[in-house]
Amino acid sequence: MLLINCPWCGPRDESEFGYGGEADIARPANPDALTDEEWADYLFMRKNPRGLHREQWVHEHGCRRWFVLERDTVTYEITDAT
Amino acid sequence: MTRQKYSIFSLLRNAVSRNENWQQAWRSPAPRKKYDALIVGGGGHGLATAYYLAKEHGMRNVAVLEKGWIGGGNTGRNTTIVRSNYLWTEAALLYEKSLKLWEGLSRDLNYNVMFSQRGVYNLGHSLQDMRDIERRVGANRLDGIDAEVVTPEQIKAAIPMINTSPRVRYPILGASLQRRGGVARHDAVAWGFARAADALGVDIIQQCEVTGIYRDHGRVTGVETRRGRIEADRVGVVVAGHASVLAGMAGLRLPLESHPLQAYVSEPLKPVLDTVVMSGAVHGYISQSDKGELVIGAGIDAYNGYGQRGSFHTIEHAMQAIIELFPAFSRVRMLRQWGGIVDVSPDACPIIGKTPVQGLYFNCGWGTGGFKATPGSGWAFAHTIARDEPHDLNAPFSLERFTTGALIDEHGAAAVAH
């Protein structure tokens, strides 16, 4: 189990958290102007890296706030929380 | 080369000679400079692809490139369940093609893959579960797939160890049953396809990780490997959890996320469960291997991961599900646990087809349920590579569906513990 350092509550067990996938995906400001390819890229395409991954977590059973972790997807080591 | 045929006579002959004269099942050749087609990934799907390329399409100048050893990835890390009771016609027909191939596979490969059609039960625990089951069974029958709805009494009669008490949190209200479903021996599937493909001239090259994909004017020209550059006009990539990594080498993005999926094997028991039981609501599935071990699987770990291991609370969740269904198993000890890396797609359906790079084909996104599709996946992928166009069976599973919106929404609809 991961030990996740919630920026507001401190280190807690992974089972208190929900996972929100890849971080930094911004909803396009004007969806009507997008091509189908651009819309598909926003909706479905993911970096899915082997290595460092910036990802969203929510402290579901705690402060219920979202934050971003940087975690290695091979060693599972958490390198940064903001 | 002529391949020794396995039979009762070869068993006896080799027994007499103290089993010292068995031929190697496949060669380990050094890679050639150039092939007509390369298959990246020596799991069941990749080996099946190479086999059907050689057998059905006459392409024998083919190599399978495997990073580690064949069958050492997800092929050897799954719970070996085979079934075809999917809701949507596109998915059902693809998995049914695979099931039909399974039914003749041992004979076709001259290798016992121990395919055992012991039936698969998908349990329902609520009225809505039962409505979904009725709907799926109806859809399966319309697609020509065997399926039936069974009552708790029938379930109890077939599986005496299961708890059908109505006074539990998730009472069993019924199930769908696919009698032609079952399990197969995962290692034998990889070995059988490897041996049969090798006999047709396919080079199986292990310890040969692909590190780059060469392209020229939008066409694939070959790959860079740990054992040097290998040229080919056609490259089929079927690497499960690492599909996104390989796609990145060709400048492509895929709609996939790789997650650890854990599975568990118990200490061996006397025969206690002669079928396969799955439950989406309590989220677990279980069968008993021929060695007597209970083989248990459940859900993926929530986070992206390539580490072939997951978190402990996921194990706990899987065990809770099994104990809910089979209270008597609460004192069974687990022997082994492992994780495979599964490439999960947004609609829980695979991607089998062409890419924007000419001559580069991807077969990925099987997520948590790829083992059952091994022969059918290879069969369809071989067709796609040989003809440079998908077969009708895998045409709906193109990468373009994420652009056109024609998703095949099997998530939660397929009676599976996704």
Side-chain angles (χ1 to χ4, degrees), chain A residues 10-53:
Chain A
R12 300 293 182 91
D13 282 346
E14 178 196 338
S15 51
E16 292 187 16
F17 295 85
Y19 185 64
E22 183 178 324
D24 311 321
I25 299 175
R27 185 180 168 86
N30 185 4
D32 291 341
L34 294 187
T35 63
D36 286 352
E37 285 73 21
E38 288 166 332
W39 187 240
D41 194 78
Y42 158 70
L43 271 187
F44 298 123
M45 302 300 162
R46 296 292 178 263
K47 290 179 187 153
N48 194 24
R50 182 186 161 87
L52 290 183
H53 189 222

Side-chain angles (χ1 to χ4, degrees), chain B residues 129-146:
Chain B
D129 274 2
M130 291 314 297
R131 289 187 195 111
D132 290 341
I133 283 172
E134 297 267 2
R135 179 187 180 203
R136 181 165 45 75
V137 165
N140 289 161
R141 288 183 173 179
L142 287 172
D143 288 328
I145 294 167
D146 75 302

Side-chain angles (χ1 to χ4, degrees), chain B residues 260-326:
Chain B
L261 174 63
Q262 302 187 69
Y264 322 90
V265 164
S266 77
E267 58 191 334
L269 309 175
K270 293 208 170 170
V272 66
L273 181 64
D274 63 356
T275 184
V276 181
V277 177
M278 310 181 71
S279 166
V282 302
H283 209 164
Y285 37 95
I286 183 166
S287 64
Q288 189 173 21
S289 76
D290 293 336
K291 286 188 285 185
E293 305 151 325
L294 298 175
V295 183
I296 294 167
I300 56 175
D301 276 81
Y303 48 75
N304 287 26
Y306 285 83
Q308 292 192 324
R309 64 190 188 284
S311 291
F312 190 78
H313 65 97
T314 307
I315 302 177
E316 205 171 3
H317 182 83
M319 296 309 148
Q320 281 169 353
I322 297 308
I323 302 307
E324 175 77 14
L325 301 176
F326 296 94

Side-chain angles (χ1 to χ4, degrees), chain B residues 190-252:
Chain B
W191 299 334
F193 272 119
R195 175 170 169 272
D198 178 88
L200 293 174
V202 171
D203 282 358
I204 294 161
I205 301 164
Q206 305 182 68
Q207 305 289 329
C208 186
E209 182 178 0
V210 169
T211 55
I213 297 175
Y214 291 111
R215 288 154 292 147
D216 183 31
H217 294 90
R219 278 203 60 95
V220 74
T221 58
V223 299
E224 184 63 40
T225 75
R226 297 262 180 241
R227 298 173 67 172
R229 180 174 180 153
I230 306 176
E231 290 176 22
D233 295 335
R234 297 168 197 224
V235 176
V237 179
V238 46
V239 295
H242 284 71
S244 298
V245 177
L246 270 288
M249 294 177 193
L252 302 173

